[in-house]
Amino acid sequence: MKLNWFETLLMNNPVRAFVQRRYEAPRLAKIAYRPFNDATALIIGCGRGVDVHIAFEMYQVQSVTAIDIDPAQVDRARKLLGDQYRDLLTLQVGDASAIPFADESFDLVLDFGVIHHVPDWRQAIREIHRVLSPGGQFVFEDIPGHKLYSWHYRTFTDYPRENRFELSDFRDECEAAGFVIGDHLESFFGFFRGAALKKAEAA
Ligand SMILES: C[S@@+](CC[C@H](N)C(=O)[O-])C[C@H]1O[C@@H](n2cnc3c(N)ncnc32)[C@H](O)[C@@H]1O
């Protein structure tokens, strides 16, 4: 679901971009199964487009397809990114729980804090698994239910109130979808991040 006005301000500003580049992106690269160089990447919930810059500049991916459910966020990303990545970037409105691309289209899916906004988050994980090639990786950073149910999240942000997940639920769902996670998981300040590998043979 779309961000409310408060989270829109919280996410779309230079401080958030700094934190994402300086701390979050390097940690995600470190916890991944392998480097992202030359990956064909899908970014779910790309927001105002900083994720896309990170994918190209820091991760050196080959191409990016970026979706966000909110047309206003996609417009912001278009403004930020201009035409600098030309044919290497596809940017469009899209839902992580109904990803508008064919099976096995990507070898990397990036989630910078998006799945806790998706009502059917289990379906989003299945969709991510579907669009990844065998051996592809899903690299994520997200917010567990116990944090979302805290006073400040309940008061200032909008997200589906039912059926949220803890890290163990998220891991179980990834494994049920056909991913391997192993020890590529960590918690930090009550959030979590990790990487899941699509098994080479179909699950
Ligand atoms: C917390 S923001 C994170 C934005 C960006 N990834 C970042 O880290 O700055 C979550 C983003 O996910 C988008 N979003 C929410 N539900 C979505 C869905 N079902 N599919 C795709 N994008 C979604 C929102 O519009 C918003 O831009």
Side-chain angles (χ1 to χ4, degrees), residues 1-3 7 11 16 20 44-47 51 67-70 73 94-97 112-114 116-118:
M1 61 196 273
K2 294 180 187 176
L3 307 183
E7 203 178 355
M11 286 293 120
R16 160 73 189 143
Q20 202 180 353
I44 56 164
C46 63
D51 302 20
I67 60 171
D68 197 289
I69 203 163
D70 184 350
Q73 290 286 68
D95 182 350
S97 55
F112 277 100
V114 176
H116 67 282
H117 277 287
V118 180

Side-chain angles (χ1 to χ4, degrees), residues 87-192:
D87 299 344
L88 301 179
L89 172 64
T90 303
L91 185 58
Q92 67 180 69
V93 174
D95 182 350
S97 55
I99 298 176
F101 302 108
D103 298 359
E104 301 183 7
S105 299
F106 306 98
D107 43 39
L108 171 67
V109 176
L110 292 169
D111 157 26
F112 277 100
V114 176
I115 293 188
H116 67 282
H117 277 287
V118 180
D120 194 347
W121 62 272
R122 291 188 166 88
Q123 176 63 10
I125 289 175
R126 288 192 290 270
E127 279 290 89
I128 290 165
H129 184 268
R130 179 184 67 75
V131 299
L132 272 171
S133 310
Q137 54 180 343
F138 167 36
V139 182
F140 49 85
E141 175 178 277
D142 230 299
I143 308 181
H146 73 269
K147 190 123 182 135
L148 292 173
Y149 294 132
S150 65
W151 177 84
H152 56 281
Y153 273 93
R154 277 189 286 114
T155 306
F156 295 114
T157 67
D158 264 348
Y159 54 86
R161 300 284 172 192
E162 292 164 4
N163 193 28
R164 295 302 83 194
F165 46 84
E166 295 302 322
L167 171 55
S168 57
D169 304 317
F170 195 90
R171 186 193 54 224
D172 290 351
E173 204 57 41
C174 284
E175 288 175 349
F179 286 109
V180 175
I181 295 194
D183 60 357
H184 290 246
L185 269 184
E186 67 186 14
S187 293
F188 62 104
F189 303 120
F191 304 97
F192 66 82

